[in-house]
Amino acid sequence: MKTNESMSQVNKETKVERKPKIESYDIAKSDETLHLAVDLAKFIKENRLYQNIQGKEYVNVEGWQYAGSRLGILPVVEHVVNISTDEEIKYQAKVNLLDLRSQQVVGAGFAICSNKEQGKKYYQEFAIASMAQTRAIGKAYRNILAWIIRAAGYEPTPVEEMDYAGNESSAKPAVPTEKKATMKAASATPVAEKTEVDEQVAGVRYASAKQKEEIIRLLNNPVITRQEKTKMLLNINRFDEERAAQAIDKLKKVIEDREDGQSAAA
């Protein structure tokens, strides 16, 4: 017959072996996505990830990214193409949406940005390229998640599309063959969010889907706080391979240290 001490040890080992429950939703299940809409409405409001434009509320791309990440759907930049002329700085980006469960592409989005747009006359080249990428991410998510954003109580169009909606009909996908992106990668140092120049641009090796999946897996560990999880999810699509590797190493260390602390306390 096992003593109380041995039974206690078995219980502790069982708890350690249990895998933490992953907080995620399945886009194929309508009841789950409606629960996501409720969660999304709260998250967007608490973090002010929306703008009021002519009396209507539009969600920033970070809000769309959060919705996608909760569904296990992450953006992968296919290309950022320089389609500039002598008179205009202009970039086009294409983003695919990857379902981490099936490893299948489930959506895509094209977008452009030009310094001929209102308010962008003095934007530098890398900022134009960065905004094209940001818009493409929002557009890709809009194509498959618009109804969820609507269910959350917001307009089903990303904020970043609103200042160039009139150009959308004339934008045609460019083939990235002869014309190559010429600008250099942006500095890793964060600068004004207005221009979003801390986004990754052409020539940078973006974090792989496998790296993003590993980051999300680690973030779902119970010892990671909601604030830490939210902060990293909002930035995960800006990581290059090196930053993603650093984030994974840091998360593993934090988890190990905190789990050791909990064991010592017990």
Side-chain angles (χ1 to χ4, degrees):
M1 185 173 180
K2 293 185 179 180
T3 65
N4 290 337
E5 184 177 352
S6 61
M7 288 295 292
S8 176
Q9 183 64 28
V10 170
N11 289 337
K12 285 183 179 179
E13 291 176 356
T14 302
K15 288 181 181 179
V16 171
E17 292 174 355
R18 279 181 190 158
K19 294 182 179 179
K21 182 180 179 181
I22 297 178
E23 297 180 2
S24 61
Y25 298 89
D26 187 346
I27 195 172
K29 299 178 180 179
S30 59
D31 57 334
E32 289 192 13
T33 48
L34 287 176
H35 284 300
L36 171 59
V38 175
D39 173 78
L40 190 58
K42 180 180 178 182
F43 179 83
I44 291 172
K45 183 177 181 180
E46 288 179 349
N47 292 278
R48 296 196 61 80
L49 297 178
Y50 65 91
Q51 291 183 28
N52 190 302
I53 301 175
Q54 296 181 347
K56 296 182 179 180
E57 294 179 341
Y58 297 84
V59 180
N60 297 343
V61 71
E62 288 88 352
W64 291 84
Q65 287 175 311
Y66 177 76
S69 68
R70 296 302 302 274
L71 291 164
I73 299 173
L74 296 180
V76 178
V77 178
E78 181 171 310
H79 65 248
V80 181
V81 186
N82 185 351
I83 53 175
S84 304
T85 65
D86 292 339
E87 295 78 27
E88 180 182 20
I89 299 174
K90 191 175 185 180
Y91 276 82
Q92 181 190 75
K94 181 184 178 183
V95 168
N96 293 324
L97 295 180
L98 181 69
D99 187 327
L100 295 178
R101 292 185 179 89
S102 65
Q103 293 297 308
Q104 298 293 316
V105 173
V106 295
F110 283 94
I112 61 171
C113 185
S114 165
N115 68 338
K116 293 289 188 181
E117 296 174 26
Q118 184 177 0
K120 294 181 173 57
K121 181 178 180 180
Y122 299 106
Y123 271 32
Q124 296 185 49
E125 186 173 351
F126 60 79
I128 296 296
S130 177
M131 179 54 77
Q133 176 183 299
T134 299
R135 287 173 172 173
I137 291 172
K139 182 67 175 179
Y141 276 129
R142 176 192 178 188
N143 289 339
I144 66 169
L145 302 182
W147 69 274
I148 295 178
I149 296 293
R150 171 67 81 180
Y154 295 92
E155 294 300 313
T157 303
V159 167
E160 291 76 12
E161 280 192 48
M162 295 307 296
D163 61 353
Y164 83 120
N167 299 331
E168 186 173 332
S169 61
S170 61
K172 296 181 180 180
V175 180
T177 53
E178 298 181 358
K179 203 156 192 177
K180 304 293 183 180
T182 58
M183 81 311 173
K184 297 180 180 179
S187 168
T189 304
V191 291
E193 293 183 4
K194 179 71 174 177
T195 58
E196 298 191 25
V197 295
D198 56 341
E199 295 267 355
Q200 306 305 311
V201 291
V204 176
R205 292 181 62 85
Y206 297 96
S208 66
K210 186 175 181 180
Q211 285 179 310
K212 292 179 180 180
E213 186 174 6
E214 176 65 5
I215 289 173
I216 291 175
R217 186 187 71 80
L218 293 169
L219 287 174
N220 282 317
N221 190 292
V223 301
I224 301 298
T225 67
R226 181 178 179 85
Q227 184 179 6
E228 291 169 332
K229 181 176 181 179
T230 298
K231 183 177 179 181
M232 188 160 289
L233 284 175
L234 288 176
N235 289 285
I236 193 172
N237 296 308
R238 302 178 181 182
F239 289 174
D240 57 21
E241 288 185 343
E242 182 179 355
R243 288 180 66 190
Q246 292 172 351
I248 290 170
D249 291 341
K250 183 177 179 180
L251 282 169
K252 287 180 177 178
K253 187 176 187 308
V254 168
I255 291 170
E256 182 179 356
D257 290 345
R258 292 179 183 176
E259 288 181 340
D260 287 345
Q262 289 178 355
S263 298

